[in-house]
Amino acid sequence: MTRWFRSALVPILAALLLSGCDFAGPQSALDPAGPIAQAQLDLFNWSLWLSALVMIGTFGVLAYVILRYRRGQRTDIPEQSHGNPKLEIALTIVPVIIVVMVAVPTVRTIFATEARVTPTEEDLVVKVTGYQWWWKFEYPEYGITTANELRLPTDRRVVLQLDSADVLHSFWVPRLAGKRDMIPNQGNQLTFTAPEAGTYYGQCAELCLGAHAYMKFRVISEEPAAFEAWADTFDIDGAQRVQADPQVQRGHQLFAQKGCTTCHRVDGYRGTTEVGTPEFPDLTNFGTRTTLGAAILPNTQENLEAWLRDPDDLKPGNYMPALWSEDDPDADEEIAAVAAYLLSLGTPDETEARAFVGGTHGDR
């Protein structure tokens, strides 16, 4: 009984371990949502089943030889032989056939999924730049720059032009397409289509030091009409409107007073005079985003206040400084106001009473 239990212990533990695997997780390449990811999964499955047949054949022959020619009660030496032309020819041809069966679909899939294309007018071109530790997405067709959330229309081919501003990064959305390296001054390209509306999880797949584990993003695929409506929210028309809520207006003032405009761009914050620099996340229409801190938290008032109070506590190693000291008596009120202002950007003004920047509620 004890011997039987010991023999069965390893398979039992392996089965329990495998039972914890989720093939349909949010970042599972085994649950494709686009033709590129599906082609890659098909190649993986083909190689897997072919490898399984090879293993079954190899270990089957090995088991047969061990059992058939085991010593047992025999004391004599079995008949010895040397050389078997038919067997040696078979052992040469069969591996060649197996290699060809793997190589042909592999090369065909590589050419089908990784070929560099020349974008057409029907394609959506997005320039993607990786920074330590966030993502910048630029839409030349719409004049939009945003961060950490890539919005796409369904059933439209997307051509991503990939670059890095500092170190090596790797763009990876497992359910839509495979990884693609982002190397400074070396433009790479990734092309895919997201046929179904939904949210897909992405991650930097190249160790880029510091807060690499927190360098996430979201790909939000939506119907073309919804995508166009989102793009229309960036039509600021020169000057940003600030909602009439007193807390929002207070946050708008603090956004400049606390030095946020030194780094972060908000389209129309000072009319036609730009604020911020391209090396930091663009916060235009920040309120339309679903996450913050490069997709590490849902974009809520509570989480945003926690982020503003101590960014390093939520994302260790990032470059965002804490703007309020621990003993600042006004910290809670001011942090809440700045969070309210940021969450108002790009969202409807329920009060329908607004003031233009430069007027009553300008940048003071």
Side-chain angles (χ1 to χ4, degrees):
M1 183 67 179
T2 303
R3 185 177 179 182
W4 175 89
F5 179 76
R6 288 177 179 174
S7 300
L9 183 59
V10 172
I12 292 174
L13 291 177
L16 292 174
L17 183 64
L18 291 174
S19 67
C21 297
D22 183 6
F23 293 161
Q27 284 187 268
S28 175
L30 302 178
D31 184 24
I36 300 295
Q38 184 63 58
Q40 293 168 338
L41 179 61
D42 291 343
L43 176 62
F44 170 79
N45 286 334
W46 168 254
S47 302
L48 176 66
W49 289 114
L50 191 59
S51 301
L53 289 176
V54 171
M55 290 183 62
I56 291 173
T58 302
F59 286 104
V61 172
L62 179 61
Y64 170 78
V65 171
I66 291 175
L67 295 175
R68 176 68 176 79
Y69 297 102
R70 68 186 186 282
R71 184 167 184 174
Q73 301 299 322
R74 296 179 58 176
T75 57
D76 59 322
I77 298 177
E79 180 184 353
Q80 304 297 301
S81 62
H82 176 72
N84 187 325
K86 293 182 179 178
L87 178 60
E88 293 173 0
I89 291 174
L91 292 178
T92 302
I93 293 177
V94 170
V96 170
I97 294 175
I98 294 174
V99 170
V100 171
M101 293 175 70
V102 174
V104 170
T106 299
V107 173
R108 186 169 56 195
T109 302
I110 289 175
F111 277 90
T113 59
E114 299 191 12
R116 198 175 185 90
V117 303
T118 300
T120 66
E121 292 183 355
E122 287 73 29
D123 295 328
L124 175 65
V125 178
V126 182
K127 182 180 178 182
V128 183
T129 306
Y131 291 82
Q132 288 179 315
W133 294 271
W134 63 280
W135 308 82
K136 180 164 72 175
F137 301 113
E138 298 174 87
Y139 300 71
E141 177 182 342
Y142 295 90
I144 293 173
T145 299
T146 186
N148 301 322
E149 284 191 2
L150 177 61
R151 296 249 184 176
L152 307 173
T154 55
D155 283 332
R156 184 178 179 186
R157 191 172 72 165
V158 181
V159 180
L160 302 183
Q161 298 173 340
L162 305 173
D163 197 0
S164 171
D166 36 51
V167 300
L168 294 180
H169 299 285
S170 185
F171 185 94
W172 188 32
V173 190
R175 295 192 63 202
L176 293 177
K179 304 172 186 175
R180 191 59 47 85
D181 285 344
M182 305 172 73
I183 305 169
N185 302 316
Q186 179 177 316
N188 281 346
Q189 187 187 78
L190 180 63
T191 304
F192 64 86
T193 304
E196 299 179 3
T199 300
Y200 305 97
Y201 290 62
Q203 172 83 45
C204 177
E206 182 75 38
L207 179 60
C208 52
L209 307 177
H212 160 73
Y214 300 94
M215 189 175 171
K216 305 177 182 180
F217 62 96
R218 296 283 187 272
V219 175
I220 299 175
S221 175
E222 50 196 358
E223 297 298 327
F227 173 78
E228 294 295 336
W230 169 79
D232 287 343
T233 64
F234 285 81
D235 187 11
I236 305 296
D237 193 23
Q240 178 201 52
R241 294 171 182 268
V242 181
Q243 295 184 7
D245 185 308
Q247 187 182 41
V248 172
Q249 295 176 19
R250 172 67 172 148
H252 175 263
Q253 298 168 12
L254 288 167
F255 189 74
Q257 293 173 1
K258 301 300 290 188
C260 304
T261 52
T262 304
C263 300
H264 296 288
R265 181 175 179 272
V266 174
D267 195 16
Y269 185 86
R270 288 197 179 106
T272 56
T273 302
E274 290 194 359
V275 299
T277 59
E279 289 75 25
F280 295 92
D282 191 314
L283 300 183
T284 302
N285 284 0
F286 179 82
T288 65
R289 298 179 193 171
T290 61
T291 62
L292 61 89
I296 63 172
L297 289 170
N299 192 15
T300 65
Q301 175 83 20
E302 181 181 6
N303 288 336
L304 185 52
E305 289 183 20
W307 170 262
L308 293 171
R309 182 172 286 105
D310 189 358
D312 198 63
D313 182 55
L314 299 178
K315 188 174 179 177
N318 81 94
Y319 294 140
M320 173 78 178
L323 302 178
W324 288 267
S325 61
E326 294 183 359
D327 58 352
D328 187 338
D330 300 322
D332 289 345
E333 180 267 330
E334 292 183 352
I335 288 173
V338 173
Y341 165 67
L342 291 173
L343 291 174
S344 75
L345 296 175
T347 60
D349 183 1
E350 297 179 353
T351 64
E352 296 184 355
R354 303 182 176 191
F356 280 96
V357 173
T360 305
H361 309 293
D363 176 15
R364 295 187 287 263

